[in-house]
Amino acid sequence: MTSIHSFWLAGRSAEGDSAFDVTSPWDSRLVGRVSVPTDAQIEEAVATAYAVRNEFAATPAHLRAAALDHVAKRLAERTEEMAQLISAENGKPIKWARGEVGRAVSVFRFASEEARRFNGGDAQRLDTDAGGRGRLALTRRFPRGVVLGITPFNFPLNQGAHKVAPAIAAGVPIILKPAPNTPLSALVLGEVLAETDLPAGSWSILPVDNDRMPALVQDERLPVISFTGSEKVGYAILDSVPRKHCTLELGGNGAAVVLADYASDEELDWAATRIATYSNYQGGQSCISVQRVIADAAIYDRLLPRIVAAVEAQVTGDPSDAATDVGPLVSEGAAMRVESWVDEAVTSGAKLHTGGTREGASYAPTVLTGVPTDTTLACEEVFGPVLTGPKVNGEAEAFAAVNDSKYGLHAGVFTRNVQVAFRAQRALEVGGVIIGDVPSYRADQMPYGGAKQSGVGREGVRFAMEDYTYERVLVLTDLEL
């Protein structure tokens, strides 16, 4: 009999009246059973978080930093256990799962550092105007209120870290709602958090069904919502609570631009390898995976066969095998959706160079060219191991092609020209421009988010802390400045 994983209610382990199964997308085996909180337990979590908000905001920084240090240390000690769990519930190849745990360790470490130095304010003399004589303004940041953090399935531990760690660092209570497919790693994170001395109510981890989320989203005691997931769900949340502060990290269809100056055999081999790797890592289930290669006509015919060969060299199979590069998608339904989009593109005239087949929840790494612009694959985020390859003439046309999308998360530009790099940052309507590499690069301490329909606000520890707080000004009078 498989034991039931408890959830975390105001910092303590708890169980509800029912449970659901978490199964592996690779072989359908049972990974774990998860207890589901009752309505009364959800209410207790919200009420406790709301009640403790002022106490937690006043907690000394060194105590919050110590708790974050502890989490980073314990996650590092449990790396292999956590990686195996992520791989089992998510289908992520074990080598990528180990990398995810390492990133989560860094997020908590960065948060500990930020907790010690974050004040978000400054001093400003006001006697620059006659009416401000003898006055000084001191600005500090204070919590907006309890955060509702909602995480996706593709990075179940690290995305939880990106919600929880900044909240603790800023002294903001948080209720974390993990994705239904992948709640287990978030619940183990709760085990580590429970070892700290954080106040009861400062954090809860609730595996709540999606159909019970509207009530939480609407709850006025949760004025901040931090959501990572699909465009459709994210904007539905934003539209339903227009007066709340929402941070939304949504979809993308990341473009890798390869310009004419990036032309040596070594450079093209590097670009092809990086593009092939990061169009397929996590099964393509990353908001910044490479979905589009926009290559200059001058090097296109030399680059494309290199990309196809590098894609075909990706090792697919059992995610628990250290040699596997590409595992299954999160579900068979997800793979069937990718299959239907590729089939539509091919039927509409696209050329299939490799891949294009499905087996259960697994979809073969795929490369297409000549994808008609009115197909779903050309317009939407595929969230699967599929790469398309349009040809362009020159830098201006390449940048226009990147911008010809409703999304704007990250773009990669392969160039050796520093002037082009600065022009790319100015021209590309995205949240991040990565020079000399794919759009999939992300450092967890830097600001991360998008433009257009890729979301609002920024992740990255310090930037999330700013999103969770607001500036409050104190004016001192009758000073001798």
Side-chain angles (χ1 to χ4, degrees):
M1 181 70 177
T2 302
S3 61
I4 294 179
H5 292 260
S6 302
F7 53 86
W8 294 94
L9 171 57
R12 72 178 192 277
S13 177
E15 292 187 7
D17 296 335
S18 62
F20 65 92
D21 294 341
V22 178
T23 57
S24 165
W26 169 247
D27 56 13
S28 300
R29 67 182 172 90
L30 180 65
V31 180
R33 302 200 74 221
V34 174
S35 186
V36 179
T38 65
D39 289 343
Q41 289 170 322
I42 294 171
E43 167 58 28
E44 181 182 349
V46 174
T48 308
Y50 185 76
V52 82
R53 68 193 190 284
N54 292 331
E55 174 191 341
F56 192 35
T59 304
H62 71 91
L63 295 180
R64 286 180 271 119
L68 293 161
D69 278 332
H70 175 83
V71 175
K73 177 177 179 290
R74 293 288 286 128
L75 287 180
E77 292 171 349
R78 299 177 67 172
T79 292
E80 190 59 26
E81 172 197 353
M82 296 296 297
Q84 294 286 348
L85 186 60
I86 291 169
S87 182
E89 68 174 341
N90 174 281
K92 180 176 297 192
I94 187 65
K95 67 179 183 180
W96 293 113
R98 289 172 181 143
E100 179 176 347
V101 180
R103 289 180 60 188
V105 170
S106 293
V107 169
F108 278 97
R109 177 169 55 84
F110 295 145
S112 175
E113 295 166 358
E114 290 295 343
R116 290 183 169 94
R117 61 175 169 246
F118 182 76
N119 59 36
D122 57 17
Q124 182 182 16
R125 62 187 304 158
L126 302 179
D127 63 353
T128 52
D129 181 83
R133 184 176 179 178
R135 295 179 187 267
L136 179 72
L138 297 176
T139 304
R140 295 166 60 196
R141 298 193 72 90
F142 292 84
R144 295 178 185 273
V146 184
V147 175
L148 173 60
I150 307 171
T151 57
F153 67 81
N154 56 337
F155 290 89
L157 178 62
N158 196 43
Q159 281 295 335
H162 271 288
K163 308 298 183 192
V164 172
I168 294 173
V172 181
I174 183 167
I175 294 174
L176 184 70
K177 188 270 185 193
N181 303 77
T182 56
L184 298 176
S185 45
L187 296 177
V188 175
L189 172 61
E191 292 179 15
V192 177
L193 286 165
E195 297 170 358
T196 70
D197 294 325
L198 294 170
S202 58
W203 62 274
S204 292
I205 301 176
L206 305 179
V208 179
D209 298 336
N210 287 341
D211 60 4
R212 297 167 73 193
M213 283 305 295
L216 270 175
V217 168
Q218 293 288 337
D219 197 307
E220 293 183 358
R221 294 168 295 179
L222 308 175
V224 180
I225 298 176
S226 179
F227 171 86
T228 301
S230 72
E231 169 199 358
K232 179 180 178 181
V233 176
Y235 280 110
I237 290 173
L238 186 64
D239 291 343
S240 71
V241 285
R243 291 181 175 85
K244 288 196 176 190
H245 184 85
C246 293
T247 298
L248 308 177
E249 195 277 284
L250 306 176
N253 55 0
V257 175
V258 186
L259 294 175
D261 71 289
Y262 213 81
S264 72
D265 288 339
E266 293 79 6
E267 288 169 334
L268 293 179
D269 286 343
W270 162 258
T273 299
R274 298 292 286 177
I275 288 166
T277 298
Y278 286 94
S279 66
N280 294 290
Y281 86 126
Q282 328 287 342
Q285 297 170 121
S286 167
C287 297
I288 47 177
S289 65
V290 186
Q291 183 171 330
R292 299 179 291 159
V293 178
I294 299 170
D296 193 280
I299 49 88
Y300 186 91
D301 291 338
R302 296 169 57 212
L303 177 64
L304 180 60
R306 284 174 161 88
I307 291 175
V308 172
V311 167
E312 291 177 341
Q314 296 284 301
V315 177
T316 62
D318 186 346
S320 67
D321 187 335
T324 297
D325 299 310
V326 187
L329 275 69
V330 73
S331 67
E332 185 172 5
M336 292 173 67
R337 177 190 55 76
V338 173
E339 179 182 42
S340 69
W341 288 15
V342 172
D343 289 350
E344 177 201 13
V346 172
T347 300
S348 300
K351 181 179 179 180
L352 180 66
H353 292 267
T354 191
T357 60
R358 179 183 65 84
E359 183 176 349
S362 296
Y363 196 81
T366 298
V367 180
L368 305 102
T369 57
V371 176
T373 57
D374 60 349
T375 58
T376 308
L377 186 59
C379 302
E380 301 293 337
E381 178 184 37
V382 66
F383 226 60
V386 178
L387 186 64
T388 66
K391 182 190 300 186
V392 295
N393 291 295
E395 172 191 317
E397 191 172 319
F399 291 171
V402 173
N403 290 339
D404 187 20
S405 170
K406 64 181 179 179
Y407 298 114
L409 195 48
H410 272 197
V413 181
F414 289 88
T415 181
R416 295 294 186 189
N417 189 323
V418 69
Q419 295 294 337
V420 172
F422 281 103
R423 288 200 295 270
Q425 187 186 31
R426 180 177 294 277
L428 297 178
E429 299 166 351
V430 296
V433 178
I434 315 300
I435 300 298
D437 207 349
V438 290
S440 316
Y441 176 79
R442 176 187 179 184
D444 291 289
Q445 71 270 40
M446 75 182 192
Y448 176 71
K452 299 189 285 190
Q453 293 188 43
S454 284
V456 294
R458 290 294 181 268
E459 292 183 351
V461 177
R462 177 169 66 84
F463 306 94
M465 292 169 71
E466 291 175 355
D467 251 329
Y468 292 170
T469 58
Y470 70 97
E471 292 177 320
R472 187 183 297 168
V473 179
L474 174 69
V475 177
L476 299 176
T477 307
D478 292 333
L479 301 177
E480 294 183 8
L481 297 178

